[in-house]
Amino acid sequence: MTTRALVVGINNYPGTNALPSCVQDATAFSTHLQSKFAFQEIKALTDQQASKHAVLDGLAWLFNGATPQDRLVFFYSGHGYRPQINGELREALVTQDSRFLDDTELADAMVSVPDGVLTIVLDTCFSGGLEKLFIAEDGRIAHVVKSKFWTAEAPTSQVISSKGFEPAAVSFRPFGLVLPPASKGYVPGTGDATVTTLTLPASKGLLISAAQADETASASTPGTNGMSAFTYA
């Protein structure tokens, strides 16, 4: 059995998109995989190493020759975004060179992976939002925490303003939902999370995400030892 992981953490985004805690997330998660689960092979990509081309190469390395006995992990800490692609509003990961990695590209990369061997952990958010204010009990602002939502600095071939173009999109698909939503058979509930049997034959593994589509994920707070809130938890 092979245990292999691709771990990505990006702080050094251009302009105002810089984040304070994602490289620390990658380091801590790699250490956790080694010490807790005795992972044998870990490839870490941080900051300028984590271009879209490098991440896709890393995924090819992660999935190469995978067997049903293997255990694979893809961890990502950084920005998320909602670009419009082919008339569909999608969720995507944003690599360090400000390019989008959406779920169809991930699905293409993992097409040969056996079912049930992969865990994907995403410490990012896809919904809008800037810094979060944390208010102390006396009403003062205790601290400000940056949201992990990428903001387009300037138009490019891949950047489309959410506010300007959302009405033109004909559908929306959350990250990781490669098939139409109805095929998953999932109805969001209002109570606590529950664990159910994974029955969809096309499911390759487990996706663990820091936030739902209408939520934001936070970077580090004074109480998270330099890590993003989700990775710390």
Side-chain angles (χ1 to χ4, degrees):
M1 181 181 76
T2 297
T3 50
R4 184 184 301 158
L6 175 66
V7 178
V8 179
I10 308 171
N11 286 348
N12 190 16
Y13 287 98
T16 59
N17 286 300
L19 289 168
S21 53
C22 301
V23 171
Q24 177 72 2
D25 293 341
T27 301
F29 197 83
S30 295
T31 300
H32 187 67
L33 288 175
Q34 290 174 317
S35 62
K36 181 70 174 179
F37 300 105
F39 261 58
Q40 303 159 338
E41 303 175 45
I42 299 176
K43 181 187 289 290
L45 300 175
T46 58
D47 285 342
Q48 273 74 12
Q49 298 172 334
S51 66
K52 181 176 180 179
H53 179 76
V55 172
L56 287 173
D57 279 353
L59 289 171
W61 166 84
L62 178 66
F63 302 144
N64 183 45
T67 72
Q69 290 73 42
D70 296 336
R71 293 296 176 263
L72 311 179
V73 171
F74 172 43
F75 173 85
Y76 167 89
S77 180
H79 278 302
Y81 192 64
R82 285 183 179 179
Q84 182 187 322
I85 302 175
N86 297 327
E88 183 176 57
L89 193 62
R90 298 186 189 174
E91 293 176 340
L93 306 179
V94 185
T95 54
Q96 196 279 332
D97 49 352
S98 299
R99 300 182 66 192
F100 301 139
L101 177 67
D102 74 271
D103 54 2
T104 59
E105 294 173 292
L106 179 60
D108 289 343
M110 59 187 280
V111 65
S112 63
V113 177
D115 296 346
V117 307
L118 174 65
T119 299
I120 301 173
V121 182
L122 303 181
D123 194 340
T124 186
C125 71
F126 303 102
S127 61
L130 300 175
E131 284 78 8
K132 287 185 173 180
L133 299 179
F134 283 74
I135 310 299
E137 289 184 3
D138 60 5
R140 63 181 175 84
I141 296 175
H143 50 270
V144 179
V145 178
K146 192 173 181 68
S147 173
K148 301 172 82 171
F149 174 77
W150 185 75
T151 302
E153 297 271 328
T156 72
S157 59
Q158 284 210 41
V159 175
I160 300 177
S161 167
S162 293
K163 289 184 179 179
F165 287 84
E166 274 191 21
V170 296
S171 61
F172 169 72
R173 183 176 66 212
F175 192 88
L177 198 58
V178 178
L179 300 178
S183 68
K184 292 289 186 179
Y186 171 67
V187 179
T190 57
D192 294 336
T194 58
V195 178
T196 57
T197 302
L198 186 66
T199 57
L200 184 66
S203 297
K204 295 290 185 179
L206 177 67
L207 172 65
I208 305 171
S209 181
Q212 298 186 64
D214 58 348
E215 298 173 331
T216 56
S218 296
S220 55
T221 75
T224 58
N225 294 344
M227 289 176 275
S228 302
F230 179 70
T231 296
Y232 175 77

